[in-house]
Amino acid sequence: MQPISTKPTPPSDDKRWRIVTATMRRHGFRPDALIETLHSVQEAFGYVDDEAMRFVARGLQLPPSRVYGAATFYNYFMLKPQGEHTCVVCLGTACYIKGAAEVLEQLQLLTGVKPGETTPDKKVSLLSARCMGACGLAPVVVLDGEVNGMASPEALTAKVEEWTHHD
Amino acid sequence: MSVVTLKIDDRDVSGRDDETILEIARENGIVIPTLCYLEGLSIAGACRLCLVEVKGSSKLLPACATRVSEGMEVSTQSERLTHYRRMIIEMLFAEGNHICSVCVSNGHCQLQDAAVALGVDHIGVPYLYPNRTVDASHELFGIDHNRCILCARCVRVCDEVEGAHTWDVGARGIEARVITDFRTPWGDSDTCTSCGKCVQVCPTGALFAKGKSAGEMMKQSEFVQYLVAMRGRQS
Amino acid sequence: MIEERPLYIPEQNIVLEHNHEIDPEQLDDYFKIDGFAALNHVLTEMTPPEVIDQLSRSGLRGRGGAGYPTGLKWQTVAKAQGSPKYVICNGDEGDPGAFMDRNVMEAYPFKVLEGMTIAAYAIGASQGFIYVRAEYPLAVQRLKNAIRQMEKHNYLGKNIAGTPFSFDIDVRLGAGAFVCGEETALIASIEGRRGNPRPRPPYPAEHGLFGCPTLINNVETFANVAPILRNGAEWFASIGTEKSKGTKVFALSGRIARAGLIEVPMGTTLREIVFEIGGGIPDGKAYKAVQTGGPSGGCIPSDYLDVPVDYESLLNLGSFMGSGGMIVMDETSCMVDVARYFMEFCMSESCGKCVPCRVGTAQMYQLLTKIVHGDATLNDLALLETLCDMVRTTSLCGLGQGAPNPVMSTLRYFRDEYIAHIVEKRCPAGVCPVHKHVQQEVSA
């Protein structure tokens, strides 16, 4: 197969597609750039939707099903936009032993959504993680990227209520 | 490449050292059950039905993926192997929603045949009753995910023989499903050439030609090995 | 991200030497702790077979879990036909409860990369990859920074340190799939594919990345390489036990007074680790078990606290060294619930390729759920044990083969807890929601 010589046309004139194209170019548009390119899509847009997958498939000259198969294999890739705030509960063993299940239950009650879902008002996405590698601080909850160790349901409630009640 | 001699089920057999246990067994009329294996396609080693005992190995080895070697002693039949093979079949039945009597492939199904051959007369694990769908959007063919055993023969034939790579596997674990394009309805796929190879190689009634009713779907998968062999001669 | 100071480092530390005395972002600081002394020595004064010989005589074994002799692995790749050859560092630390490799990559990026470069010289590779979890952004940033600085100082790139040897390293990001810690799945992932394992043989040493001979070692293994070549195989072999040499880094967490990272000589007992280094169990509670080896490992009860920790002894106890996670549990942990926790993990992390792992983990999870809810019978327990044996024996890769281990080890040491849930409809630790069922049974 001939390697692609011209750069693929982005789905829109959104400048963020340039970042994605740059990633593909850095890897010579080779098929093994797929995961790195999906990372770059997610970093630029926050999620990887069909339109992005189509662009990546064209850019790397890969079959659509291979791109979809990889994107859905890896849990790190979000196929839908996330809420304004994210709340990630670590369910690693140490966190589990130290009560992460109760923390998660409390957050589910509070937000009314299950892990992997976003509240209908798009304010909060509730997520769970395998292990953040911060077991010494168990249980760990990451609020908008900030690691909170020894998380107590009370402190979390205050924070999440702040997100949901403020406009 | 060199010729080796080995024993399969106490029979002296010989073959090339780039051949697998399964290939040599078949050449010698020794039956090892398989589901994901299909001559002409790449090896998946996924169904685990063809596991055999090899003297000197504490692990069971997949006959489809294990090369023969000089002096090897292979057992393809034992109480232990039958026990595991039956459980694999039971797990496949429990994993999907298989209702043979109304299936297009009833009587011509490799899962059914394997179950009969291994004497599976009941399913000892709880049925999982998954919620699976049927995609009938393609003009000629359909897929009933309830009957899919995820052997990925369709994925491999489409990629390796037809060259379209319309099929792949999406998601993972117990949620894994074969998909077309971006999980696009099959009928809307941009890449499908409607060649029907996937339908022919599917071991169950999961992939079928439209218009067939119960027991009417007969499949021919031998074309794969001929196509592959012919291409080998032309290159 | 959080940076933690290691809890305990012995006098003879290897991996965590000079912790936090140096800035992990400055190559000049790495020089202060003999950085690149080993690489310079190897490139100018040793032949590749001599390097491999040193490694073999040191007795170093893979720190990723299985404990395969590192020197032997290097030798196999060195002898393998085919080119190019690749070096891969497995930084996909996925065991829940393990954070050793994160710390090593964050605190000693140069040391890991130096180890990889020495390996490349020994086996004849010109390209390396370090595969890191995307969940470890600081490790990724520091590794990328270290690679740039090494390139600038000619410790990576063409004609390293003025010798004919050339080598490059690229970082590749994982994307949230535990199974990618398995070497054939990791290779598939670097190739841009779904992380499905494939049958071995052929092993990556012969048929690895892009079909070429490939050496894969884990982060801690590579971090041991430069110290061994600096101080000699005999020095390293003098530490540890007869079959397990050197030290091991463990991540101590759970119900323990002092959680954190420790480095101890192989052969240190669990009692020393849990009670002396970790300060024992807090709140006056009683020790119940320590879980090692992650989702492929097992729970070790108090009867075996005096067993020296090495590869063989943990296997004999029905557990597994794994990458070094140690989660301490006290009387408030229910062992059936713990087994179910790990089974949920394996079920969700199964790639779905082979039948026993895909369906078997789902079946076992369902049975364990029945048990914790008090809905199970002794027949269910028998079926659970049959499934454990079947999934362990017939699965394609280590994830499936190891998935039954947490169940089997808790059944071995805490069978009474299973029986209490099933027969007495009672959770001894008071964790499981079994009581809900008692009323149903009365009314039935």
Side-chain angles (χ1 to χ4, degrees), chain C residues 4 29 36 61 64 84 89 153 162 182-183 191 193 217 221 230 244 259 264 266 307 332 339 344 399 418 421 439 441:
Chain C
E4 293 147 88
D29 266 35
F36 302 114
R61 296 169 63 179
C89 176
H153 287 79
E182 198 278 344
E183 56 184 20
E191 289 173 348
R193 299 170 192 278
N217 278 135
T221 313
R230 265 200 325 260
S244 302
V264 294
M266 291 279 191
V307 170
T332 61
E344 191 279 332
L399 191 156
Y418 283 81
H421 286 78
Q439 285 154 348
E441 248 202 349

Side-chain angles (χ1 to χ4, degrees), chain B residues 61-76:
Chain B
L61 301 175
C64 68
T66 307
R67 297 265 168 96
V68 293
S69 60
E70 181 63 38
M72 200 179 223
E73 291 182 39
V74 181
S75 304
T76 72

